[in-house]
Amino acid sequence: MSFDYDLFVIGGGSGGVRAARVAAADGVKVALAEEDRYGGTCVIRGCVPKKLMVFASEYSGMVDDARAYGWDFQAGDFDWSSFKTKLHAELDRLEGVYRNILASNGVETFDQRARMVDAHTVELADGSKKTAKHILLAMGGRPVMPDLPGAELGITSNEIFHLDKLPEDILIIGGGYIACEFAGIMHGLGVKTTQYYRGAQILRGFDDETRGLVCEEMCQRGIDVHLGTNILEMCKEGDKIWVKATNGDERLFDQVMFATGRRPNTDNMGLEDVGVAMGRKGEVTVDDYSQTGVPSIFAVGDVTDRVNLTPVAIREGMAFVETVFRGNPTKVDHELIPTAIFTQPEIGTVGLGEEEAAEQEPIEVYATSFKPMQQSFAGRAERVLMKLVVSKATRKVLGCHIVAPGAGEMIQLAGVAVKMGATKEDFDRTVAVHPTMSEEIVTMKAPVRST
Ligand code: NDP
């Protein structure tokens, strides 16, 4: 049977674009459909604009620090509109880069929605049908809002980059990556920021001491974090949004942002009809090789809801190409993934948290928390944390957790050691780089806890 293409990719985000261009560079005949903008969540409405907003928000604190170092700086106002114009110009540039990468590798692109018709056929929004030997689902995910009265008045991370003006105050709902990162961003940009999280501590799933310190530091900086608190209802009141919370508070906010999780983009894709199985959240079910139950259909990235991170989607895309087009079946390694959370202060983490590790085996915990030189000199009270979770039996570092400015940069490098199976003694025999914050990671002598 002959097909229009060897590979048809649905979705032009990190995973889809990587798979498409690498396969095409190998001489595979590839097409890709994207209904929105090329680059996907990461480039258009996620990591990239978020990080640029983190940078923008950090300058507010730098003026006071610079003055403490002797500079005669005066704080001025933040001009959202000029930043936003520049931000979107940068996103346009990056989208262009993505489009060029596809074009220059010979991938045919369709700027429209595609849905599945059968195991080898997709239908585009214009009604045309395309056949392919293999189909890769890479549609990503989208934010979800809880079902409560007035929820439609709120925004999500999709809209936050497009505000006409910055609100005077904002309520952020949720305690995950997105909620905590945007609480820091908004506060840094001068917006009075309140955060409601329904659980006992933000950032569920991460090391407890790490979560505790970040929450403390967020409060210390002036973010009004309410734990054990959720939103009940909201409605319009003049120019403001009236919000009733589970703690009995009734308050008015300019803006309410929901960061209450994300869902895979699998609605109305025809997947059920074709026999592709999906889980409870609508995620495409795949095996270790990213293959669905329909042999010609694979899926990578957030649409599979495995580890929802850009570099993971890229690796899944690469492994798919190895497996299907290079005759080299390759599983994606989802173990020991280093990651950063761009809260203020930042978190860098790899491996198991203390609580998770202690459930598995006897451990030793090495940790130190201190005021870093640069900020301390400037009169800031903020503390950083360096922490290693070590197996008593093998001496391997099971987890490394850092809360500090630049923790994301640090954990990338510590992640190499942890991935290689470094022991505590390997860390110990590495000479400290002085004077740095990260030197503490190789100078911790005695465990603070042992289980
Ligand atoms: P998360 O799943 O991390 O967090 C969702 C938050 O919303 C949780 O605190 C959850 O509470 C809460 N929540 C869920 N439903 C409700 C509800 N009905 N009412 C109130 N609160 C609710 O999702 P995010 O949207 O923050 O991020 C999605 C994913 O994107 C992350 O898991 C991550 O993989 C990725 N990401 C990565 C980043 C990075 O690498 N720096 C940055 C941003 C996103 P509870 O804990 O109680 O369930």
Side-chain angles (χ1 to χ4, degrees), residues 150-156 159-160 163-172 186 190-194 196 231 234-243 250-258:
E152 70 284 353
L153 298 169
I155 58 168
T156 68
E159 291 77 38
I160 195 96
L163 298 174
D164 290 333
K165 63 183 182 60
L166 277 185
E168 256 173 46
D169 49 43
I170 190 167
L171 170 65
I172 297 179
M186 285 292 140
V191 178
K192 194 166 174 297
T193 305
T194 305
Y196 288 172
I231 185 169
M234 52 203 274
C235 69
K236 195 98 187 132
E237 194 169 310
D239 287 344
K240 297 262 191 182
I241 301 168
W242 171 86
V243 169
E250 292 180 33
R251 288 174 59 182
L252 294 172
F253 294 96
D254 271 344
Q255 198 73 256
V256 176
M257 174 181 170
F258 289 99

Side-chain angles (χ1 to χ4, degrees), residues 207 209 352-368 386-401 422-428 441 444-451:
D207 177 79
E209 201 173 4
L352 299 177
E354 177 179 343
E355 299 69 30
E356 220 179 338
E359 273 176 24
Q360 292 187 10
E361 59 178 297
I363 55 162
E364 280 180 358
V365 177
Y366 295 80
T368 176
M386 302 280 159
K387 178 167 178 176
L388 295 177
V389 179
V390 177
S391 161
K392 270 189 183 166
T394 64
R395 304 299 299 155
K396 273 190 185 170
V397 174
L398 303 174
C400 175
H401 311 281
T423 61
K424 175 67 172 68
E425 287 62 38
D426 290 326
F427 275 71
D428 291 347
I441 211 83
M444 293 186 286
K445 293 287 172 257
V448 291
R449 282 179 294 283
S450 175
T451 60

Side-chain angles (χ1 to χ4, degrees), residues 50-110:
K50 179 275 304 288
K51 188 89 189 267
L52 291 168
M53 279 179 81
V54 169
F55 290 142
S57 71
E58 283 175 341
Y59 285 100
S60 55
M62 287 180 193
V63 176
D64 284 344
D65 287 0
R67 291 173 66 85
Y69 276 87
W71 288 94
D72 180 19
F73 280 160
Q74 302 298 328
D77 287 334
F78 173 67
D79 183 349
W80 167 252
S81 123
S82 95
F83 170 73
K84 187 179 140 189
T85 305
K86 213 159 167 237
L87 173 71
H88 287 282
E90 176 63 2
L91 303 186
D92 291 347
R93 185 186 72 79
L94 290 171
E95 183 179 13
V97 169
Y98 270 70
R99 282 183 181 275
N100 279 341
I101 284 175
L102 291 171
S104 62
N105 282 287
V107 177
E108 190 175 345
T109 51
F110 299 96

Side-chain angles (χ1 to χ4, degrees), residues 410-447:
M410 295 179 204
I411 206 68
Q412 179 68 82
L413 304 179
V416 176
V418 175
K419 186 79 185 164
M420 288 175 74
T423 61
K424 175 67 172 68
E425 287 62 38
D426 290 326
F427 275 71
D428 291 347
R429 66 194 174 84
T430 305
V431 173
V433 178
H434 186 73
T436 64
M437 288 179 279
S438 53
E439 67 180 301
E440 299 286 335
I441 211 83
V442 297
T443 56
M444 293 186 286
K445 293 287 172 257

Side-chain angles (χ1 to χ4, degrees), residues 95-159:
E95 183 179 13
V97 169
Y98 270 70
R99 282 183 181 275
N100 279 341
I101 284 175
L102 291 171
S104 62
N105 282 287
V107 177
E108 190 175 345
T109 51
F110 299 96
D111 291 2
Q112 46 186 313
R113 187 173 170 81
R115 65 191 303 279
M116 298 298 308
V117 175
D118 65 39
H120 292 284
T121 311
V122 302
E123 182 178 12
L124 296 174
D126 65 8
S128 62
K129 292 198 170 82
K130 309 286 172 195
T131 61
K133 186 159 186 221
H134 301 283
I135 292 169
L136 181 65
L137 306 171
M139 296 88 72
R142 63 178 192 285
V144 282
M145 287 192 191
D147 186 15
L148 58 93
E152 70 284 353
L153 298 169
I155 58 168
T156 68
S157 55
N158 280 355
E159 291 77 38

Side-chain angles (χ1 to χ4, degrees), residues 50 146 175-178 181 197-198 204 230 259-261 308-309 340:
K50 179 275 304 288
Y177 281 78
I178 297 179
E181 291 181 341
Y197 172 52
R198 63 184 179 182
R204 184 165 59 82
N230 207 352
T260 45
N308 298 332
L309 298 171

